[in-house]
């Protein structure tokens, strides 16, 4: 008797069997790259097929010694698992078409060694985010737009096994006593997981994909995220050891921009990066990467970002790069910037440059120090030179919305000068945001610093429209 299936299909790349194959991504809505793999139609297995897959999976675990499998290369391990699964299916009399047989074998293989149903998505170069809302709903972001996929987990326990596998690989844990965790995949992709009782509808998993093709400022110019003149100014700012704060909302490209700017730090400088979950990709010869550590089961051993900032000052850094400031470490960061560690970079979640400064002020107050607001603002003015505001527009594009210089203070208020901005004109008939990058006519005070350090910055770029 034939098996009934729901043939909901979703275009995915053919999954390469070599674990060393890497994926890349693009976040430009109008510039879809060619798929390096032939399309694969992924279907949802029927209840009968799922039951059969679980039977094959269980029997395979009885046959194979996973302790031995884990000791060999992943490519060879996958080959052995495929061979055993194929033999087990051949021994059964259930009629399955070739596509379903291959899908079951691949899913069993991924459940044993990989991330189960998510493996196919991880090989799609066009996907930038994978969002799992319980075991029945898996969304992806592609070119800035969310899509519901037919990918499913068997149940919440199946999803929890995948989450446990991710977090345990980097020595972290997730359970009822610690139901939230930040982690990363082996390729550097950023992961956040949250489980019941905090997540009411079942375990939730969010994966921000790691870009194997590391984008520089010139690549961002080609994607129209900023202009060549703006990029030249930022290159000069990095070379001239200006302290730069990158501001933007979730998914606006803050980490990408930080990585791109860091390429212009001189190669003879010692850089220390500090992150909650390591994802920065600085392409420099002298980089020391530090990562926070959560508390253990007994609630001891936690190393916070603030601990790392204070310790990094004893490690003779030329520059300190903080992936994102969220709390009291902002005070220690400002102190570092004000005590000889010029040229440092960090990011913050904020919608405008003014909001970014307000958030910094609030975070400094979280350090537990009783400082008047004016004194905190004075610290910020002394530390931060340039604020880059990024935005993700509704068409999915990421753009530099504004570049501003921190001028000083007038009374109790921090003054800012906007140097470049993106002037939005509207939306065309295809839903693409239309606008223009402009200079404001203001020549920044930091130009003297840039010239003294040999940065190439023509004064004309500050007085002309840029495109």
């Amino acid at each position: 008797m034939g098996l009934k299936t729901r043939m909901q299909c979703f275009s995915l790349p053919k999954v390469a069997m070599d674990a060393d194959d890497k994926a890349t991504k693009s976040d430009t809505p109008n510039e879809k790259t060619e798929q390096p793999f032939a399309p694969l139609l992924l279907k949802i297995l029927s209840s009968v097929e799922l039951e059969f897959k679980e039977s094959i999976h269980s029997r395979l675990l009885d046959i194979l010694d996973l302790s031995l499998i884990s000791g060999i290369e992943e490519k060879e391990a996958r080959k052995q698992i495929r061979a055993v699964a194929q033999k087990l299916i051949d021994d059964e009399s259930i009629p399955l078409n070739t596509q379903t047989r291959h899908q079951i074998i691949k899913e069993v293989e991924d459940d044993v060694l990989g991330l189960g149903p998510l493996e196919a998505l991880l090989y799609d170069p066009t996907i930038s985010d994978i969002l799992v809302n319980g075991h029945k709903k898996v969304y992806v972001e592609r070119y800035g737009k969310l899509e519901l996929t037919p990918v499913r987990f068997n149940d919440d326990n199946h999803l929890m096994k995948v989450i446990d596998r991710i977090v345990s690989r980097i020595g972290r844990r997730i359970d009822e006593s610690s139901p939230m965790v930040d982690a990363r995949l082996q390729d550097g992709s950023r992961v956040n997981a949250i489980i019941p009782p905090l997540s009411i509808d079942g375990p939730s998993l969010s994966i921000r994909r790691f870009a194997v093709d590391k984008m520089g400022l010139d690549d961002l110019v080609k994607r129209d995220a900023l202009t060549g003149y703006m990029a030249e100014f930022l290159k000069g700012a990095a070379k001239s050891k200006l302290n730069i704060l990158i501001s933007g909302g979730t998914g606006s490209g803050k980490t990408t921009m930080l990585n791109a700017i860091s390429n212009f730090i001189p190669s003879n400088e010692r850089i220390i990066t500090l992150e909650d979950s390591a994802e920065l990709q600085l392409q420099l010869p002298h980089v020391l990467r530090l990562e926070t550590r959560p508390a253990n089961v007994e609630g001891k051993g936690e190393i916070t970002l603030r601990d790392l900032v204070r310790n990094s000052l004893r490690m003779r850094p030329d520059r300190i790069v903080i992936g994102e400031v969220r709390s009291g470490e902002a005070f220690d960061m400002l102190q570092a910037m004000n005590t000889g560690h010029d040229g440092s970079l960090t990011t913050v979640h904020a919608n405008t440059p003014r909001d970014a400064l307000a958030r910094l002020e609030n975070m400094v107050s979280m350090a537990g120090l009783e400082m008047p607001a004016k004194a905190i603002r004075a610290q910020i003015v002394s530390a931060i030179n340039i604020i880059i505001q990024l935005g993700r527009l509704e068409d999915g594009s990421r753009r530099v919305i504004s570049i501003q210089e921190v001028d000083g203070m007038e009374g109790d208020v921090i003054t800012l000068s906007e140097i470049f901005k993106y002037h939005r004109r509207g939306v065309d008939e295809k839903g693409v945001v239309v606008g223009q990058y402009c200079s404001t006519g203001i020549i920044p005070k930091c130009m003297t610093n840039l010239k003294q350090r040999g940065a190439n910055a023509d004064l004309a770029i500050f007085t002309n429209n840029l495109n």
Side-chain angles (χ1 to χ4, degrees):
M1 182 175 65
L3 294 169
K4 296 180 180 179
T5 60
R6 292 172 289 162
M7 294 300 291
Q8 294 177 322
C9 293
F10 180 65
S11 180
L12 289 174
K14 184 178 179 182
V15 178
M17 295 303 179
D18 189 341
D20 292 329
D21 287 343
K22 299 293 184 182
T24 59
K25 71 175 183 180
S26 168
D27 61 0
T28 306
N30 301 319
E31 197 175 293
K32 298 187 178 183
T33 56
E34 273 190 26
Q35 297 286 342
F37 306 112
L40 167 71
L41 292 180
L42 178 69
K43 72 172 186 177
I44 300 175
L45 297 179
S46 69
S47 58
V48 176
E49 291 168 338
L50 275 176
E51 186 177 345
F52 179 63
K53 188 194 88 169
E54 287 301 305
S55 172
I56 296 297
H57 187 186
S58 177
R59 291 168 59 194
L60 181 140
L61 294 181
D62 291 337
I63 294 172
L64 291 178
D65 186 341
L66 292 186
S67 62
L68 295 178
I69 288 289
S70 61
I72 62 177
E73 290 187 4
E74 184 173 349
K75 185 176 181 180
E76 179 61 28
R78 286 181 176 271
K79 181 179 178 181
Q80 291 188 24
I81 289 172
R82 284 197 299 273
V84 174
Q86 181 69 59
K87 178 66 168 60
L88 292 173
I89 291 177
D90 289 342
D91 292 342
E92 298 290 338
S93 58
I94 296 180
L96 298 171
N97 60 42
T98 301
Q99 178 188 340
T100 303
R101 289 166 66 95
H102 288 168
Q103 182 171 333
I104 288 175
I105 292 172
K106 186 67 179 70
E107 288 188 12
V108 168
E109 175 189 334
D110 290 337
D111 282 339
V112 173
L113 291 179
L115 301 185
L118 301 182
E119 284 289 323
L121 302 180
L122 291 170
Y123 276 90
D124 188 334
T126 67
I127 291 174
S128 58
D129 287 88
I130 301 171
L131 309 170
V132 183
N133 302 345
H135 72 274
K136 291 183 179 180
K137 291 184 179 179
V138 179
Y139 288 84
V140 297
E141 180 183 298
R142 199 194 301 266
Y143 308 113
K145 302 289 186 180
L146 289 177
E147 303 175 25
L148 178 64
T149 76
V151 173
R152 302 289 185 272
F153 290 83
N154 299 340
D155 49 36
D156 283 348
N157 287 333
H158 187 198
L159 175 54
M160 277 301 304
K161 288 179 181 178
V162 171
I163 293 174
D164 282 330
R165 181 171 296 162
I166 292 172
V167 302
S168 63
R169 284 174 177 171
I170 61 168
R172 302 198 174 187
R173 65 187 180 90
I174 187 166
D175 51 39
E176 286 190 7
S177 63
S178 180
M180 297 185 296
V181 68
D182 287 319
R184 66 180 183 276
L185 301 182
Q186 290 179 330
D187 68 356
S189 296
R190 185 171 63 193
V191 177
N192 175 269
I194 184 167
I195 64 173
L198 301 187
S199 179
I200 297 173
D201 298 321
S204 174
L205 183 66
S206 304
I207 300 176
R208 171 67 54 84
R209 294 293 307 285
F210 172 89
V212 175
D213 285 344
K214 303 167 184 64
M215 287 189 287
L217 281 175
D218 293 338
D219 298 312
L220 295 176
V221 170
K222 292 176 183 177
R223 294 170 183 268
D224 202 27
L226 74 167
T227 67
Y229 289 134
M230 295 164 72
E232 282 301 315
F233 174 72
L234 295 180
K235 291 175 186 178
K239 292 177 181 177
S240 303
K241 303 196 78 170
L242 299 186
N243 292 321
I244 299 174
L245 176 64
I246 301 171
S247 169
T250 301
S252 58
K254 297 186 295 298
T255 302
T256 299
M257 178 61 70
L258 192 156
N259 281 322
I261 293 174
S262 71
N263 290 333
F264 299 95
I265 296 175
S267 60
N268 61 348
E269 295 187 16
R270 173 176 168 87
I271 300 99
I272 298 180
T273 68
L274 316 171
E275 301 175 82
D276 278 323
S277 183
E279 59 177 318
L280 295 177
Q281 310 165 44
L282 273 59
Q283 303 302 297
L284 296 163
H286 197 162
V287 177
L288 181 62
R289 305 170 70 206
L290 305 181
E291 184 180 50
T292 62
R293 184 180 71 186
N296 59 21
V297 179
E298 292 79 25
K300 299 179 181 179
E302 180 183 18
I303 303 297
T304 67
L305 198 55
R306 190 172 184 190
D307 295 327
L308 292 181
V309 174
R310 287 197 294 251
N311 190 78
S312 68
L313 298 177
R314 306 184 186 102
M315 302 172 70
R316 200 264 177 214
D318 287 308
R319 306 197 193 204
I320 296 173
V321 177
I322 303 178
E324 180 185 344
V325 286
R326 296 179 179 143
S327 188
E329 67 273 1
F331 172 75
D332 301 284
M333 177 198 71
L334 294 177
Q335 290 292 96
M337 290 178 172
N338 279 319
T339 54
H341 301 94
D342 295 332
S344 297
L345 299 97
T346 190
T347 74
V348 64
H349 273 83
N351 294 324
T352 67
R354 181 66 61 184
D355 289 345
L357 295 179
R359 283 214 66 203
L360 272 185
E361 185 178 335
N362 290 335
M363 287 186 284
V364 169
S365 65
M366 294 168 66
L369 303 170
E370 295 184 4
M371 294 178 62
K374 187 172 183 179
I376 296 175
R377 291 168 191 166
Q379 288 273 339
I380 293 173
V381 168
S382 298
I384 305 296
N385 301 116
I386 300 294
I387 302 175
I388 304 170
Q389 183 64 44
L390 306 178
R392 181 175 65 170
L393 307 184
E394 61 266 33
D395 62 1
S397 62
R398 278 87 166 170
R399 297 183 185 274
V400 176
I401 303 300
S402 178
I403 298 177
Q404 301 195 17
E405 182 181 38
V406 179
D407 278 337
M409 291 185 67
E410 290 184 1
D412 292 344
V413 179
I414 298 175
T415 58
L416 299 172
S417 294
E418 187 167 44
I419 304 168
F420 303 108
K421 66 178 180 179
Y422 178 71
H423 176 65
R424 176 173 172 154
R425 294 198 299 265
V427 180
D428 67 15
E429 63 278 2
K430 296 181 180 179
V432 177
V433 175
V434 178
Q436 180 182 25
Y437 292 104
C438 304
S439 58
T440 62
I442 296 175
I443 297 176
K445 295 178 180 178
C446 64
M447 275 301 297
T448 302
N449 192 334
L450 267 65
K451 289 182 177 179
Q452 289 174 347
R453 294 178 180 267
N456 180 23
D458 187 349
L459 290 179
I461 70 174
F462 302 113
T463 57
N464 297 325
N465 285 340
L466 303 184
N467 62 355

